PDB file of all heavy atoms in Angstrom:
ATOM      1  N   VAL P 967     223.978 -44.349 153.522  1.00 98.00           N
ATOM      2  CA  VAL P 967     225.255 -44.592 152.851  1.00 98.00           C
ATOM      3  C   VAL P 967     226.301 -44.941 153.908  1.00 98.00           C
ATOM      4  O   VAL P 967     226.431 -44.213 154.890  1.00 98.00           O
ATOM      5  CB  VAL P 967     225.730 -43.327 152.094  1.00 98.00           C
ATOM      6  CG1 VAL P 967     227.117 -43.549 151.501  1.00 98.00           C
ATOM      7  CG2 VAL P 967     224.755 -42.930 151.000  1.00 98.00           C
ATOM      8  N   LEU P1127     219.537 -46.754 140.056  1.00 98.00           N
ATOM      9  CA  LEU P1127     220.796 -46.438 140.741  1.00 98.00           C
ATOM     10  C   LEU P1127     220.896 -44.958 141.119  1.00 98.00           C
ATOM     11  O   LEU P1127     221.559 -44.604 142.082  1.00 98.00           O
ATOM     12  CB  LEU P1127     221.999 -46.792 139.854  1.00 98.00           C
ATOM     13  CG  LEU P1127     222.187 -48.272 139.527  1.00 98.00           C
ATOM     14  CD1 LEU P1127     223.338 -48.441 138.545  1.00 98.00           C
ATOM     15  CD2 LEU P1127     222.455 -49.067 140.803  1.00 98.00           C
ATOM     16  N   HIS P1128     220.266 -44.107 140.316  1.00 98.00           N
ATOM     17  CA  HIS P1128     220.383 -42.651 140.550  1.00 98.00           C
ATOM     18  C   HIS P1128     219.227 -42.071 141.366  1.00 98.00           C
ATOM     19  O   HIS P1128     219.176 -40.863 141.585  1.00 98.00           O
ATOM     20  CB  HIS P1128     220.430 -41.913 139.200  1.00 98.00           C
ATOM     21  CG  HIS P1128     221.735 -42.053 138.486  1.00 98.00           C
ATOM     22  ND1 HIS P1128     222.030 -43.126 137.691  1.00 98.00           N
ATOM     23  CD2 HIS P1128     222.827 -41.264 138.449  1.00 98.00           C
ATOM     24  CE1 HIS P1128     223.253 -42.983 137.189  1.00 98.00           C
ATOM     25  NE2 HIS P1128     223.757 -41.862 137.642  1.00 98.00           N
ATOM     26  N   GLU P1130     218.207 -41.993 144.482  1.00 98.00           N
ATOM     27  CA  GLU P1130     218.244 -41.397 145.830  1.00 98.00           C
ATOM     28  C   GLU P1130     219.651 -41.505 146.399  1.00 98.00           C
ATOM     29  O   GLU P1130     220.371 -42.462 146.114  1.00 98.00           O
ATOM     30  CB  GLU P1130     217.203 -42.131 146.708  1.00 98.00           C
ATOM     31  CG  GLU P1130     217.405 -42.080 148.196  1.00 98.00           C
ATOM     32  CD  GLU P1130     217.280 -40.692 148.818  1.00 98.00           C
ATOM     33  OE1 GLU P1130     216.925 -39.706 148.124  1.00 98.00           O
ATOM     34  OE2 GLU P1130     217.580 -40.569 150.009  1.00 98.00           O
ATOM     35  N   HIS P1131     220.049 -40.536 147.196  1.00 98.00           N
ATOM     36  CA  HIS P1131     221.366 -40.617 147.835  1.00 98.00           C
ATOM     37  C   HIS P1131     221.458 -39.679 149.025  1.00 98.00           C
ATOM     38  O   HIS P1131     222.249 -38.723 149.030  1.00 98.00           O
ATOM     39  CB  HIS P1131     222.491 -40.333 146.817  1.00 98.00           C
ATOM     40  CG  HIS P1131     223.745 -41.056 147.158  1.00 98.00           C
ATOM     41  ND1 HIS P1131     224.872 -40.422 147.608  1.00 98.00           N
ATOM     42  CD2 HIS P1131     224.033 -42.380 147.144  1.00 98.00           C
ATOM     43  CE1 HIS P1131     225.814 -41.328 147.843  1.00 98.00           C
ATOM     44  NE2 HIS P1131     225.320 -42.529 147.572  1.00 98.00           N
ATOM     45  N   THR P1132     220.710 -39.924 150.041  1.00 98.00           N
ATOM     46  CA  THR P1132     220.707 -39.171 151.306  1.00 98.00           C
ATOM     47  C   THR P1132     220.715 -37.642 151.070  1.00 98.00           C
ATOM     48  O   THR P1132     220.109 -37.173 150.119  1.00 98.00           O
ATOM     49  CB  THR P1132     221.846 -39.636 152.265  1.00 98.00           C
ATOM     50  OG1 THR P1132     223.104 -39.211 151.795  1.00 98.00           O
ATOM     51  CG2 THR P1132     221.848 -41.140 152.453  1.00 98.00           C
ATOM     52  N   ILE P1133     221.451 -36.920 151.894  1.00 97.00           N
ATOM     53  CA  ILE P1133     221.359 -35.452 151.810  1.00 97.00           C
ATOM     54  C   ILE P1133     222.484 -34.907 150.936  1.00 97.00           C
ATOM     55  O   ILE P1133     223.382 -34.186 151.405  1.00 97.00           O
ATOM     56  CB  ILE P1133     221.401 -34.813 153.213  1.00 97.00           C
ATOM     57  CG1 ILE P1133     220.373 -35.476 154.119  1.00 97.00           C
ATOM     58  CG2 ILE P1133     221.111 -33.315 153.154  1.00 97.00           C
ATOM     59  CD1 ILE P1133     218.946 -35.374 153.612  1.00 97.00           C
ATOM     60  N   ASN P1134     222.453 -35.266 149.674  1.00 98.00           N
ATOM     61  CA  ASN P1134     223.381 -34.671 148.705  1.00 98.00           C
ATOM     62  C   ASN P1134     222.937 -33.223 148.456  1.00 98.00           C
ATOM     63  O   ASN P1134     221.864 -32.796 148.912  1.00 98.00           O
ATOM     64  CB  ASN P1134     223.363 -35.503 147.420  1.00 98.00           C
ATOM     65  CG  ASN P1134     221.963 -35.583 146.882  1.00 98.00           C
ATOM     66  OD1 ASN P1134     221.514 -34.683 146.173  1.00 98.00           O
ATOM     67  ND2 ASN P1134     221.215 -36.612 147.260  1.00 98.00           N
ATOM     68  N   ALA P1135     223.735 -32.488 147.671  1.00 98.00           N
ATOM     69  CA  ALA P1135     223.469 -31.045 147.508  1.00 98.00           C
ATOM     70  C   ALA P1135     222.075 -30.753 146.949  1.00 98.00           C
ATOM     71  O   ALA P1135     221.359 -29.873 147.449  1.00 98.00           O
ATOM     72  CB  ALA P1135     224.550 -30.426 146.618  1.00 98.00           C
ATOM     73  N   SER P1136     221.662 -31.494 145.906  1.00 98.00           N
ATOM     74  CA  SER P1136     220.365 -31.156 145.302  1.00 98.00           C
ATOM     75  C   SER P1136     219.203 -31.545 146.210  1.00 98.00           C
ATOM     76  O   SER P1136     218.180 -30.843 146.256  1.00 98.00           O
ATOM     77  CB  SER P1136     220.215 -31.807 143.920  1.00 98.00           C
ATOM     78  OG  SER P1136     220.383 -33.199 144.008  1.00 98.00           O
ATOM     79  N   THR P1137     219.367 -32.634 146.959  1.00 98.00           N
ATOM     80  CA  THR P1137     218.298 -33.029 147.883  1.00 98.00           C
ATOM     81  C   THR P1137     218.209 -32.025 149.029  1.00 98.00           C
ATOM     82  O   THR P1137     217.116 -31.654 149.472  1.00 98.00           O
ATOM     83  CB  THR P1137     218.559 -34.452 148.408  1.00 98.00           C
ATOM     84  OG1 THR P1137     218.582 -35.318 147.277  1.00 98.00           O
ATOM     85  CG2 THR P1137     217.491 -34.906 149.375  1.00 98.00           C
ATOM     86  N   LEU P1161     221.414 -29.729 140.928  1.00 98.00           N
ATOM     87  CA  LEU P1161     222.016 -30.944 140.352  1.00 98.00           C
ATOM     88  C   LEU P1161     222.908 -30.626 139.147  1.00 98.00           C
ATOM     89  O   LEU P1161     223.846 -31.351 138.839  1.00 98.00           O
ATOM     90  CB  LEU P1161     220.899 -31.913 139.924  1.00 98.00           C
ATOM     91  CG  LEU P1161     221.376 -33.288 139.434  1.00 98.00           C
ATOM     92  CD1 LEU P1161     221.913 -34.129 140.592  1.00 98.00           C
ATOM     93  CD2 LEU P1161     220.253 -34.037 138.721  1.00 98.00           C
ATOM     94  N   LEU P1165     230.205 -30.091 140.044  1.00 98.00           N
ATOM     95  CA  LEU P1165     230.674 -30.812 141.230  1.00 98.00           C
ATOM     96  C   LEU P1165     229.644 -31.844 141.678  1.00 98.00           C
ATOM     97  O   LEU P1165     229.909 -32.657 142.563  1.00 98.00           O
ATOM     98  CB  LEU P1165     230.952 -29.839 142.387  1.00 98.00           C
ATOM     99  CG  LEU P1165     232.090 -28.847 142.171  1.00 98.00           C
ATOM    100  CD1 LEU P1165     232.359 -28.054 143.442  1.00 98.00           C
ATOM    101  CD2 LEU P1165     233.367 -29.534 141.696  1.00 98.00           C
ATOM    102  N   HIS P1166     228.463 -31.798 141.085  1.00 98.00           N
ATOM    103  CA  HIS P1166     227.374 -32.727 141.499  1.00 98.00           C
ATOM    104  C   HIS P1166     226.952 -33.512 140.253  1.00 98.00           C
ATOM    105  O   HIS P1166     227.782 -34.114 139.589  1.00 98.00           O
ATOM    106  CB  HIS P1166     226.274 -31.871 142.137  1.00 98.00           C
ATOM    107  CG  HIS P1166     225.176 -32.615 142.832  1.00 98.00           C
ATOM    108  ND1 HIS P1166     225.260 -33.928 143.225  1.00 98.00           N
ATOM    109  CD2 HIS P1166     223.920 -32.198 143.229  1.00 98.00           C
ATOM    110  CE1 HIS P1166     224.126 -34.296 143.822  1.00 98.00           C
ATOM    111  NE2 HIS P1166     223.298 -33.261 143.832  1.00 98.00           N
ATOM    112  N   HIS P1205     234.351 -38.153 146.506  1.00 98.00           N
ATOM    113  CA  HIS P1205     233.007 -38.071 147.076  1.00 98.00           C
ATOM    114  C   HIS P1205     233.113 -37.629 148.523  1.00 98.00           C
ATOM    115  O   HIS P1205     234.059 -38.002 149.217  1.00 98.00           O
ATOM    116  CB  HIS P1205     232.323 -39.444 147.004  1.00 98.00           C
ATOM    117  CG  HIS P1205     230.845 -39.380 147.128  1.00 98.00           C
ATOM    118  ND1 HIS P1205     230.205 -39.278 148.349  1.00 98.00           N
ATOM    119  CD2 HIS P1205     229.877 -39.376 146.188  1.00 98.00           C
ATOM    120  CE1 HIS P1205     228.898 -39.226 148.140  1.00 98.00           C
ATOM    121  NE2 HIS P1205     228.664 -39.277 146.844  1.00 98.00           N
ATOM    122  N   ARG P1206     232.150 -36.834 148.952  1.00 98.00           N
ATOM    123  CA  ARG P1206     232.167 -36.388 150.341  1.00 98.00           C
ATOM    124  C   ARG P1206     232.029 -37.575 151.299  1.00 98.00           C
ATOM    125  O   ARG P1206     232.632 -37.594 152.362  1.00 98.00           O
ATOM    126  CB  ARG P1206     231.024 -35.383 150.558  1.00 98.00           C
ATOM    127  CG  ARG P1206     230.826 -34.911 151.977  1.00 98.00           C
ATOM    128  CD  ARG P1206     232.013 -34.120 152.539  1.00 98.00           C
ATOM    129  NE  ARG P1206     232.308 -32.903 151.843  1.00 98.00           N
ATOM    130  CZ  ARG P1206     231.643 -31.742 151.988  1.00 98.00           C
ATOM    131  NH1 ARG P1206     230.621 -31.663 152.812  1.00 98.00           N
ATOM    132  NH2 ARG P1206     232.008 -30.672 151.312  1.00 98.00           N
ATOM    133  N   VAL P1207     231.245 -38.564 150.934  1.00 98.00           N
ATOM    134  CA  VAL P1207     230.958 -39.652 151.880  1.00 98.00           C
ATOM    135  C   VAL P1207     231.746 -40.929 151.563  1.00 98.00           C
ATOM    136  O   VAL P1207     232.314 -41.550 152.456  1.00 98.00           O
ATOM    137  CB  VAL P1207     229.436 -39.955 151.911  1.00 98.00           C
ATOM    138  CG1 VAL P1207     229.114 -40.972 152.998  1.00 98.00           C
ATOM    139  CG2 VAL P1207     228.629 -38.677 152.141  1.00 98.00           C
ATOM    140  N   TYR P1208     231.782 -41.318 150.290  1.00 98.00           N
ATOM    141  CA  TYR P1208     232.499 -42.564 149.960  1.00 98.00           C
ATOM    142  C   TYR P1208     233.998 -42.342 149.981  1.00 98.00           C
ATOM    143  O   TYR P1208     234.501 -41.435 149.307  1.00 98.00           O
ATOM    144  CB  TYR P1208     232.130 -43.054 148.556  1.00 98.00           C
ATOM    145  CG  TYR P1208     230.714 -43.552 148.429  1.00 98.00           C
ATOM    146  CD1 TYR P1208     229.814 -42.912 147.578  1.00 98.00           C
ATOM    147  CD2 TYR P1208     230.271 -44.674 149.129  1.00 98.00           C
ATOM    148  CE1 TYR P1208     228.517 -43.351 147.436  1.00 98.00           C
ATOM    149  CE2 TYR P1208     228.966 -45.130 149.003  1.00 98.00           C
ATOM    150  CZ  TYR P1208     228.095 -44.463 148.153  1.00 98.00           C
ATOM    151  OH  TYR P1208     226.808 -44.900 148.012  1.00 98.00           O
ATOM    152  N   ASP P1212     232.389 -46.050 144.740  1.00 98.00           N
ATOM    153  CA  ASP P1212     230.926 -45.936 144.903  1.00 98.00           C
ATOM    154  C   ASP P1212     230.277 -47.242 144.400  1.00 98.00           C
ATOM    155  O   ASP P1212     230.572 -47.685 143.283  1.00 98.00           O
ATOM    156  CB  ASP P1212     230.510 -44.725 144.032  1.00 98.00           C
ATOM    157  CG  ASP P1212     229.055 -44.334 144.131  1.00 98.00           C
ATOM    158  OD1 ASP P1212     228.215 -45.223 144.302  1.00 98.00           O
ATOM    159  OD2 ASP P1212     228.771 -43.129 143.978  1.00 98.00           O
ATOM    160  N   ARG P1214     227.497 -47.780 143.240  1.00 98.00           N
ATOM    161  CA  ARG P1214     226.742 -47.559 141.995  1.00 98.00           C
ATOM    162  C   ARG P1214     227.679 -47.544 140.799  1.00 98.00           C
ATOM    163  O   ARG P1214     227.317 -47.969 139.702  1.00 98.00           O
ATOM    164  CB  ARG P1214     225.972 -46.235 142.089  1.00 98.00           C
ATOM    165  CG  ARG P1214     224.953 -46.212 143.218  1.00 98.00           C
ATOM    166  CD  ARG P1214     224.470 -44.805 143.498  1.00 98.00           C
ATOM    167  NE  ARG P1214     225.540 -43.928 143.936  1.00 98.00           N
ATOM    168  CZ  ARG P1214     225.432 -42.608 144.122  1.00 98.00           C
ATOM    169  NH1 ARG P1214     224.269 -42.026 143.890  1.00 98.00           N
ATOM    170  NH2 ARG P1214     226.448 -41.887 144.536  1.00 98.00           N
ATOM    171  N   ASN P1257     233.104 -42.179 141.364  1.00 97.00           N
ATOM    172  CA  ASN P1257     231.767 -41.990 141.930  1.00 97.00           C
ATOM    173  C   ASN P1257     230.720 -42.368 140.869  1.00 97.00           C
ATOM    174  O   ASN P1257     231.070 -42.802 139.768  1.00 97.00           O
ATOM    175  CB  ASN P1257     231.595 -40.550 142.452  1.00 97.00           C
ATOM    176  CG  ASN P1257     231.794 -39.503 141.362  1.00 97.00           C
ATOM    177  OD1 ASN P1257     231.229 -39.618 140.275  1.00 97.00           O
ATOM    178  ND2 ASN P1257     232.595 -38.480 141.648  1.00 97.00           N
ATOM    179  N   VAL P1258     229.451 -42.159 141.196  1.00 97.00           N
ATOM    180  CA  VAL P1258     228.357 -42.599 140.308  1.00 97.00           C
ATOM    181  C   VAL P1258     228.453 -41.985 138.908  1.00 97.00           C
ATOM    182  O   VAL P1258     228.002 -42.559 137.919  1.00 97.00           O
ATOM    183  CB  VAL P1258     226.981 -42.287 140.951  1.00 97.00           C
ATOM    184  CG1 VAL P1258     226.716 -40.792 140.999  1.00 97.00           C
ATOM    185  CG2 VAL P1258     225.841 -43.019 140.253  1.00 97.00           C
ATOM    186  N   PHE P1280     219.807 -37.984 134.938  1.00 98.00           N
ATOM    187  CA  PHE P1280     220.041 -38.095 136.388  1.00 98.00           C
ATOM    188  C   PHE P1280     218.840 -37.458 137.114  1.00 98.00           C
ATOM    189  O   PHE P1280     218.287 -38.019 138.073  1.00 98.00           O
ATOM    190  CB  PHE P1280     221.349 -37.373 136.720  1.00 98.00           C
ATOM    191  CG  PHE P1280     221.927 -37.615 138.085  1.00 98.00           C
ATOM    192  CD1 PHE P1280     223.300 -37.497 138.296  1.00 98.00           C
ATOM    193  CD2 PHE P1280     221.130 -37.949 139.176  1.00 98.00           C
ATOM    194  CE1 PHE P1280     223.860 -37.699 139.554  1.00 98.00           C
ATOM    195  CE2 PHE P1280     221.677 -38.158 140.436  1.00 98.00           C
ATOM    196  CZ  PHE P1280     223.048 -38.023 140.622  1.00 98.00           C
ATOM    197  N   ARG P1284     216.338 -38.825 139.947  1.00 98.00           N
ATOM    198  CA  ARG P1284     216.446 -38.262 141.293  1.00 98.00           C
ATOM    199  C   ARG P1284     215.154 -37.605 141.764  1.00 98.00           C
ATOM    200  O   ARG P1284     214.972 -37.359 142.962  1.00 98.00           O
ATOM    201  CB  ARG P1284     217.645 -37.313 141.360  1.00 98.00           C
ATOM    202  CG  ARG P1284     218.030 -36.799 142.735  1.00 98.00           C
ATOM    203  CD  ARG P1284     218.219 -37.887 143.788  1.00 98.00           C
ATOM    204  NE  ARG P1284     219.288 -38.833 143.518  1.00 98.00           N
ATOM    205  CZ  ARG P1284     220.571 -38.667 143.819  1.00 98.00           C
ATOM    206  NH1 ARG P1284     220.946 -37.559 144.423  1.00 98.00           N
ATOM    207  NH2 ARG P1284     221.472 -39.602 143.561  1.00 98.00           N
TER     208      ARG P1284
HETATM  209  O1  OAA M1939     225.796 -37.872 147.844  1.00 92.63           O
HETATM  210  C1  OAA M1939     226.352 -36.961 147.212  1.00 92.63           C
HETATM  211  O2  OAA M1939     226.947 -36.002 147.762  1.00 92.63           O
HETATM  212  C2  OAA M1939     226.391 -36.981 145.748  1.00 92.63           C
HETATM  213  C3  OAA M1939     225.886 -38.253 145.150  1.00 92.63           C
HETATM  214  O3  OAA M1939     226.593 -39.231 145.073  1.00 92.63           O
HETATM  215  C4  OAA M1939     224.510 -38.289 144.693  1.00 92.63           C
HETATM  216  O4  OAA M1939     223.778 -37.305 144.856  1.00 92.63           O
HETATM  217  O5  OAA M1939     224.104 -39.319 144.131  1.00 92.63           O
END
Side-chain angles (χ1 to χ4, degrees):
V967 175
L1127 295 175
H1128 286 84
E1130 157 65 5
H1131 210 250
T1132 72
I1133 309 301
N1134 57 84
S1136 56
T1137 300
L1161 186 71
L1165 295 186
H1166 190 17
H1205 199 279
R1206 175 64 62 79
V1207 186
Y1208 291 117
D1212 185 326
R1214 299 166 298 173
N1257 59 48
V1258 69
F1280 193 153
R1284 189 52 63 85

